Amino acid sequence: MRFLHTADWHIGKKLHDYSLVEEQLEAFSQIKKIAQTEQVDAVVIAGDLYDRSLPSETAVTLVDQMLYELNLKANLPLLVISGNHDSAVRLATGSDWYKQTDFYVHTKLSQAFESIELKDVQFFLLPYFELQAARNYFDEEIKNITEALQRIVALMQERFDPEKKHVLVAHFFVAGSLRTASETSLEIGGLDAVPAEVFQVFDHVALGHLHDKDASQAEHIKYSGSLLKYSIAEATREKGVWIVDTESKTTKWCALKPLHDIKLLKGTFAELTAPKSFQSITAETFTALELTDEHPVIDAMSRLRQYYPRLLELKWQKQPNSRSKQRQKVKQQTPLELLAGFFEQTTGQEMTRLQADLAKECLEKLRQKEDV
Amino acid sequence: MRFLHTADWHIGKKLHDYSLVEEQLEAFSQIKKIAQTEQVDAVVIAGDLYDRSLPSETAVTLVDQMLYELNLKANLPLLVISGNHDSAVRLATGSDWYKQTDFYVHTKLSQAFESIELKDVQFFLLPYFELQAARNYFDEEIKNITEALQRIVALMQERFDPEKKHVLVAHFFVAGSLRTASETSLEIGGLDAVPAEVFQVFDHVALGHLHDKDASQAEHIKYSGSLLKYSIAEATREKGVWIVDTESKTTKWCALKPLHDIKLLKGTFAELTAPKSFQSITAETFTALELTDEHPVIDAMSRLRQYYPRLLELKWQKQPNSRSKQRQKVKQQTPLELLAGFFEQTTGQEMTRLQADLAKECLEKLRQKEDV
């Protein structure tokens, strides 16, 4: 059989306060098309459908609509697990009804052992779980997540139908994989990395959790990566889905074209505000800029935002050290010295004698007022 | 056909900080039994399944389980609308799948006109709606909720199948009905009372919103009342469900036996702490007590709680006026007078001369300390 593997939709997530609803809908619509073009027999969603355990009404409506389109409209079997961002309980609502149309949502560890058979494949849907849940399930002391997974895989193996291929769908951190900024240490959530060898009994492992498709090095263990670029660190990483063919044992990458991309640009303030730079992208493009100017640029963020309305981040190439030295220097200056420096930076000229006298006089008056 | 009519489950609601999960589960289990015994063809739930728009995970699990038992286990068609306490959006999740097993959840005004036919009946499920939603739907100025309902009913009537009986399921406030304390003015939520005449085209109207089964006076317009007694004001009101027979045009009341009732008791402190009083109820009974003592009883609430562990409220029969006068008097007393009064109340005796001198001395020392 052929199935489409996606994960980490994070519906409801915002990018630096920008809503991503439009972007998520567009990415979903591309996934739906890929599923149709590739004529897959099922769609796997390996956790983190939602960005938070208490999703907004908007997020709830979006996810419900997406699942409806795949399962009830396109008649595709769905194999879904909860990730660490989902509320297992909330995601499970209605799952008894969903089953009737081959839409399986597994949110409890115990459900991982109820395999689902579709065509030549036996699927095992292992939701995200905490170590304590594994200890409770096996009613034994289990040292770490690797040991838990060894126990889980062994139990699954007992249920293997030798006539079938075996596919694991799971949501955790496989050893040797890369991380990006939007999976913060909090999100990795106490899950130690599990060695890839634990999963060699499976024909294929479809994972969620890490946002990068290249996060796992093993050929038959794949992260699909996230639906969108969810952090600046993911700006250069391509997003998409895997088409897994269990018969030919091949995987095929289908990239998604972002509706609004994240672009990294670097240059001086003058370069970045030249048409050549800002006209290279649309106004809706999310940007992270790096300024290479030697000297401070007054109010750079808000001035650059006029050229890059969806500016997410502004960095300075200069060493933090030299900047903090500069800050130190500023602290030691008199008000008149500060004003003179500011004048020079903004006008590009030194104060004249007359201007300096005038400034001195004003500052003196201000000081007297403050003393009162 | 015969259907069971219930409403206002308010799953997740607490009674003065006491969880009601056990009580709600027990009431539900009785409803399930009644549905089986009475061999109904469907169950109507007329809104407010949840107590709040953002229900807890516990509440979500409970409701999901209850609906599962009725629809998928007992194979009963379910006709459900959202009430003002539900989040229409959250309640609607999964409803496209539910339909497949005759479980209909209507949460949008537009769905009110998609009638559902079961046996000899055409059901119209009108969810709770705000006046603005009706204005948007009809794209016209609509003065008040009565006018909105006239428009809605007229549109439903156009869709009437003359061969069928017509039943409306709705959630609002019908004129001439009674109110109880747990439907606060906030909960009545801007819904003016609608005259009963608006609904005369229906064979039967099954309502939610008011918690009292006798809230509506009309024979064919019924409130089922709430699942439990959700306020002290409801203590004396029987809870239950209606069995509606559309052929014989009869309704039958089936009472629910509360797992833990709310009892109102009245008497002096001595009477209420006598075994005859507190042994008349179980320790789990919720109580609201009224003290008839002439004189204040020190620490009455916590002392009575030893006899009535689930004491919800303590009232005094005395006029608030005389109590506030007493408070005024207390404010004017000196510390020594206050102490003397307190001594007399607790010991039943006046202070002796020696005791008064000792008290005076202590108070003087305290005063001096405070001055330092």
Side-chain angles (χ1 to χ4, degrees):
Chain A
M1 76 173 293
R2 289 155 67 75
F3 66 86
L4 183 151
H5 165 208
T6 175
D8 295 274
W9 285 5
H10 289 275
I11 304 300
K13 190 171 174 70
K14 292 183 176 189
L15 187 60
H16 292 236
D17 275 347
Y18 292 102
S19 158
L20 294 173
V21 167
E22 247 193 297
E23 288 77 7
Q24 289 173 331
L25 274 172
E26 167 60 24
F28 170 76
S29 131
Q30 291 180 35
I31 290 180
K32 213 174 50 178
K33 261 186 217 133
I34 294 169
Q36 280 155 353
T37 314
E38 296 290 334
Q39 295 186 292
V40 298
D41 304 298
V43 172
V44 165
I45 314 174
D48 285 359
L49 282 77
Y50 289 105
D51 189 51
R52 46 178 66 191
S53 58
L54 233 166
S56 69
E57 291 195 341
T58 308
V60 167
T61 308
L62 279 176
V63 169
D64 191 58
Q65 180 65 21
M66 289 169 174
L67 300 174
Y68 164 77
E69 288 192 24
L70 292 176
N71 181 242
L72 292 185
K73 267 186 87 176
N75 288 313
L76 283 163
L78 292 188
L79 303 152
V80 175
I81 55 169
S82 46
N84 53 318
H85 277 246
D86 301 306
S87 153
V89 164
R90 293 181 200 276
L91 193 65
T93 312
S95 54
D96 288 307
W97 285 266
Y98 301 154
K99 269 190 267 183
Q100 303 174 122
T101 47
D102 279 337
F103 167 13
Y104 303 92
V105 188
H106 284 191
T107 57
K108 289 179 204 149
L109 180 53
S110 60
Q111 295 177 302
F113 310 105
E114 303 160 8
S115 71
I116 288 146
E117 303 197 0
L118 291 174
K119 300 210 163 182
D120 61 329
V121 175
Q122 211 182 357
F123 283 95
F124 290 86
L125 309 186
L126 172 63
Y128 170 82
F129 63 94
E130 303 278 349
L131 186 52
Q132 191 54 48
R135 287 178 179 150
N136 295 347
Y137 185 80
F138 290 105
D139 201 16
E140 271 177 43
E141 190 47 43
I142 289 176
K143 275 202 306 290
N144 51 37
I145 209 76
T146 298
E147 196 184 318
L149 272 160
Q150 283 164 337
R151 299 286 302 267
I152 289 166
V153 170
L155 204 52
M156 286 174 176
Q157 220 180 339
E158 284 176 23
R159 286 158 171 77
F160 273 15
D161 176 347
E163 305 288 304
K164 301 267 182 189
K165 302 276 186 352
H166 308 104
V167 172
L168 174 68
V169 179
H171 191 94
F172 54 82
F173 182 30
V174 167
S177 41
L178 314 160
R179 289 186 188 194
T180 57
S182 63
E183 314 114 11
T184 61
S185 54
L186 193 72
E187 287 170 285
I188 302 286
L191 279 193
D192 310 321
V194 178
E197 296 74 54
V198 175
F199 309 104
Q200 58 194 5
V201 299
F202 290 100
D203 294 284
H204 190 85
V205 182
L207 291 171
H209 201 40
L210 300 187
H211 288 192
D212 189 340
K213 75 170 172 75
D214 301 316
S216 154
Q217 313 297 324
E219 186 51 44
H220 76 300
I221 302 176
K222 292 282 183 204
Y223 282 99
S224 68
S226 51
L227 187 67
L228 300 178
K229 297 174 181 179
Y230 283 129
S231 69
I232 293 166
E234 294 171 56
T236 58
R237 314 304 305 170
E238 194 177 60
K239 299 299 172 180
V241 299
W242 291 108
I243 304 296
V244 181
D245 191 312
T246 56
E247 205 151 350
S248 65
K249 287 213 168 203
T250 54
T251 51
K252 174 180 163 187
W253 176 250
C254 296
L256 301 173
K257 194 181 167 320
L259 178 65
H260 305 127
D261 208 350
I262 304 182
K263 291 282 183 197
L264 309 174
L265 296 173
K266 186 174 170 176
T268 62
F269 185 82
E271 285 163 357
L272 291 174
T273 54
K276 206 186 106 186
S277 283
F278 66 82
Q279 284 176 359
S280 71
I281 57 164
T282 68
E284 287 82 20
T285 307
F286 298 104
T287 50
L289 304 181
E290 188 171 351
L291 277 178
T292 57
D293 295 75
E294 287 289 315
H295 298 291
V297 178
I298 299 300
D299 208 13
M301 189 80 171
S302 68
R303 284 162 73 195
L304 283 166
R305 201 158 257 153
Q306 296 172 24
Y307 300 90
Y308 305 95
R310 288 181 157 194
L311 177 55
L312 303 176
E313 190 185 85
L314 180 63
K315 279 201 303 191
W316 292 81
Q317 197 185 26
K318 268 188 269 175
Q319 293 306 308
N321 255 357
S322 73
R323 298 204 79 203
S324 89
K325 261 183 213 155
Q326 203 175 10
R327 258 189 225 114
Q328 200 51 42
K329 202 180 123 200
V330 162
K331 277 189 188 167
Q332 292 160 352
Q333 286 178 320
T334 66
L336 187 61
E337 284 166 344
L338 277 170
L339 184 61
F342 177 71
F343 185 91
E344 207 181 317
Q345 278 171 28
T346 43
T347 65
Q349 292 180 318
E350 265 184 66
M351 274 187 182
T352 63
R353 177 74 174 270
L354 184 65
Q355 285 166 332
D357 283 349
L358 208 63
K360 211 169 174 178
E361 205 179 307
C362 287
L363 286 168
E364 182 58 24
K365 272 189 195 160
L366 278 171
R367 200 190 56 74
Q368 282 171 0
K369 256 195 190 164
E370 275 173 8
D371 286 352
V372 176
Chain B
M1 77 173 291
R2 287 157 67 76
F3 66 86
L4 183 150
H5 166 207
T6 174
D8 294 274
W9 285 6
H10 290 275
I11 303 300
K13 189 170 175 69
K14 293 183 174 188
L15 187 59
H16 293 235
D17 275 347
Y18 291 103
S19 159
L20 293 172
V21 167
E22 245 193 299
E23 288 76 8
Q24 289 173 330
L25 275 171
E26 168 60 23
F28 170 76
S29 130
Q30 291 180 36
I31 289 180
K32 213 174 52 178
K33 260 186 219 135
I34 294 169
Q36 279 154 355
T37 314
E38 296 289 333
Q39 296 186 289
V40 297
D41 304 299
V43 172
V44 165
I45 314 173
D48 284 357
L49 282 77
Y50 289 105
D51 189 51
R52 46 177 67 191
S53 59
L54 234 166
S56 69
E57 291 194 342
T58 308
V60 167
T61 308
L62 279 176
V63 168
D64 191 58
Q65 181 64 21
M66 289 168 173
L67 300 174
Y68 164 77
E69 288 190 24
L70 292 176
N71 182 241
L72 291 185
K73 269 186 86 177
N75 288 314
L76 283 164
L78 292 187
L79 302 152
V80 175
I81 56 168
S82 45
N84 53 318
H85 278 245
D86 301 305
S87 153
V89 164
R90 293 181 200 275
L91 192 66
T93 313
S95 54
D96 288 308
W97 285 266
Y98 302 154
K99 270 190 267 183
Q100 301 174 124
T101 47
D102 278 337
F103 167 14
Y104 303 92
V105 187
H106 284 190
T107 57
K108 290 179 203 150
L109 180 53
S110 59
Q111 295 177 303
F113 311 103
E114 304 161 8
S115 71
I116 289 146
E117 303 196 0
L118 291 174
K119 300 211 165 182
D120 61 331
V121 175
Q122 210 182 357
F123 282 96
F124 290 86
L125 309 185
L126 173 63
Y128 170 82
F129 63 94
E130 303 278 347
L131 186 53
Q132 191 53 49
R135 287 176 179 152
N136 294 346
Y137 185 80
F138 291 105
D139 200 15
E140 271 176 46
E141 191 47 43
I142 290 177
K143 275 202 308 291
N144 51 38
I145 209 75
T146 298
E147 194 184 318
L149 272 160
Q150 284 164 336
R151 297 287 302 267
I152 289 167
V153 170
L155 204 52
M156 287 174 174
Q157 219 180 338
E158 286 176 21
R159 287 160 171 77
F160 273 15
D161 176 347
E163 306 287 305
K164 302 266 181 190
K165 301 274 184 354
H166 309 105
V167 172
L168 175 67
V169 178
H171 190 95
F172 55 82
F173 182 29
V174 168
S177 41
L178 314 159
R179 291 188 187 191
T180 57
S182 63
E183 314 115 11
T184 61
S185 54
L186 193 74
E187 288 171 284
I188 302 284
L191 280 194
D192 310 321
V194 179
E197 296 74 55
V198 176
F199 309 106
Q200 58 194 8
V201 299
F202 291 100
D203 295 284
H204 190 85
V205 182
L207 291 171
H209 201 39
L210 300 187
H211 288 192
D212 188 340
K213 77 169 171 71
D214 301 316
S216 154
Q217 312 297 324
E219 186 50 46
H220 76 300
I221 302 177
K222 292 283 183 205
Y223 282 98
S224 69
S226 52
L227 188 67
L228 299 179
K229 298 174 181 178
Y230 283 129
S231 69
I232 294 167
E234 294 170 57
T236 58
R237 315 304 304 169
E238 193 177 60
K239 300 298 171 180
V241 298
W242 290 108
I243 304 295
V244 181
D245 190 312
T246 56
E247 205 151 350
S248 65
K249 287 212 168 206
T250 55
T251 50
K252 174 181 164 185
W253 177 249
C254 296
L256 301 173
K257 195 182 167 321
L259 179 65
H260 305 126
D261 209 349
I262 304 182
K263 291 282 183 197
L264 309 174
L265 296 174
K266 187 173 169 177
T268 62
F269 185 82
E271 285 164 357
L272 290 174
T273 54
K276 206 186 105 185
S277 283
F278 67 81
Q279 285 176 358
S280 70
I281 57 165
T282 68
E284 287 82 20
T285 307
F286 299 104
T287 49
L289 304 181
E290 189 171 350
L291 277 178
T292 57
D293 296 76
E294 288 287 316
H295 298 290
V297 178
I298 300 298
D299 208 14
M301 189 81 172
S302 69
R303 284 162 74 194
L304 283 166
R305 199 158 260 151
Q306 295 173 25
Y307 300 89
Y308 304 94
R310 289 180 158 194
L311 177 55
L312 302 176
E313 191 185 83
L314 180 63
K315 279 201 302 190
W316 291 81
Q317 199 186 25
K318 266 187 273 177
Q319 294 305 309
N321 256 357
S322 73
R323 299 203 78 203
S324 89
K325 262 183 213 156
Q326 204 175 10
R327 257 188 227 114
Q328 199 52 43
K329 203 180 121 199
V330 162
K331 276 188 189 167
Q332 293 161 352
Q333 286 179 320
T334 66
L336 187 61
E337 284 167 346
L338 276 170
L339 186 60
F342 178 70
F343 185 90
E344 207 180 317
Q345 277 170 29
T346 43
T347 65
Q349 292 181 317
E350 266 184 67
M351 275 188 182
T352 62
R353 178 76 174 267
L354 184 65
Q355 285 166 332
D357 283 348
L358 209 63
K360 211 169 171 177
E361 204 179 309
C362 288
L363 285 168
E364 183 59 24
K365 272 190 195 159
L366 278 170
R367 201 190 54 76
Q368 282 170 0
K369 255 195 189 162
E370 273 172 8
D371 286 351
V372 177

